[in-house]
Amino acid sequence: MAPAVKVYGWAVSPFVARPLLCLEEAGVDYELVPMSRAAGDHRQPDFLARNPFGQVPVLEDGDLTLFESRAIARHVLRKHKPELLGCGSPEAEAMVDVWLEVEAHQYNPAVSAIVVQCIILPLLGGARDQAVVDENVAKLKKVLEVYESRLSASRYLAGDDISLADLSHFPFTRYLMETEYAPLVAELPHVNAWWDGLKARPAARKVTELMPPDLGLGKKAEE
């Protein structure tokens, strides 16, 4: 019998990896539906019927269809592992929400820009814009200084228990650590310990196997 949960997208995408990580953490049986970005599968009418913006991932859970990776992640955990959203305590849930917002609006813009410039553009035959890299490295340094202070006071971002606030950082950080800017994380002891713990989780190790450092673009670049 096919799994009731389907994820449409390519696992190398950090946006697809985010809900996959949550599904793995929650032990949910799911099917990753193969798609090809190069073939434009995300622009086909059947996919646009699932997400009119033509972006991955899309999740189908029975009769429910969702897009936007953080919304999907929240749904998966709300349904299958709510303790990763704050254990039902309003205060704990509020702290998870705070650090999810920090990830989305402070951390992700800087780290994603670095990953795009240092990994994705060169693999597609482009050249990095070092000015963009430098600007976002400076931004990320400031954000990580806040994280270092926070993680010196609590084991995880939202408190002493791991939550979606931590897990949501995994996909882009996985690629950041393949760049020459990995020391931004490695040189901060509490941030580095936090990252080591995240990447060592069985769910993260499984998702990492689907996220090669070249995002699967290496052969294409060679051609």
Side-chain angles (χ1 to χ4, degrees):
M1 185 176 177
V5 175
K6 295 182 178 181
V7 179
Y8 293 81
W10 34 90
V12 295
S13 163
F15 301 103
V16 177
R18 180 177 285 116
L20 294 186
L21 180 61
C22 293
L23 288 162
E24 292 288 349
E25 284 280 351
V28 177
D29 187 23
Y30 66 92
E31 176 188 354
L32 179 60
V33 179
M35 291 181 63
S36 169
R37 181 180 180 86
D41 289 351
H42 57 306
R43 300 296 184 188
Q44 298 302 313
D46 61 338
F47 185 79
L48 291 172
R50 298 181 177 96
N51 182 355
F53 296 104
Q55 296 172 330
V56 297
V58 164
L59 176 133
E60 288 183 347
D61 183 0
D63 294 331
L64 178 67
T65 299
L66 295 175
F67 52 90
E68 295 295 340
S69 66
R70 291 177 183 83
I72 294 171
R74 284 186 175 96
H75 165 72
V76 168
L77 297 180
R78 195 177 290 122
K79 184 173 180 179
H80 299 284
K81 202 165 185 177
E83 58 266 34
L84 291 178
L85 295 174
C87 298
S89 156
E91 294 79 10
E93 289 176 1
M95 290 307 298
V96 173
D97 285 346
V98 165
W99 287 97
L100 272 172
E101 291 294 313
V102 172
E103 181 270 324
H105 301 293
Q106 305 292 336
Y107 183 86
N108 189 74
V111 73
S112 62
I114 296 168
V115 168
V116 167
Q117 292 291 329
C118 294
I119 296 182
I120 297 176
L121 280 179
L123 285 168
L124 294 175
R128 75 161 74 175
D129 184 332
Q130 191 60 41
V132 172
V133 175
D134 293 344
E135 177 186 353
N136 284 282
V137 165
K139 290 178 181 177
L140 186 58
K141 281 183 178 179
K142 291 181 179 179
V143 173
L144 288 175
E145 288 170 4
V146 175
Y147 280 41
E148 180 69 8
S149 176
R150 172 63 180 170
L151 292 166
S152 69
S154 62
R155 186 176 180 187
Y156 296 103
L157 290 172
D160 290 327
D161 297 313
I162 194 165
S163 72
L164 177 58
D166 307 289
L167 299 176
S168 195
H169 287 76
F170 174 79
F172 267 109
T173 309
R174 181 268 177 282
Y175 288 125
L176 174 71
M177 301 308 286
E178 296 291 337
T179 75
E180 67 264 42
Y181 298 102
L184 293 175
V185 169
E187 291 175 356
L188 295 173
H190 293 96
V191 172
N192 191 55
W194 168 77
W195 170 245
D196 281 346
L198 276 180
K199 70 179 182 180
R201 296 178 71 81
R205 289 202 304 267
K206 186 166 183 180
V207 174
T208 299
E209 292 175 1
L210 304 174
M211 303 173 74
D214 67 358
L215 290 90
L217 294 170
K219 291 181 181 178
K220 191 178 299 179
E222 291 171 7
E223 294 170 1

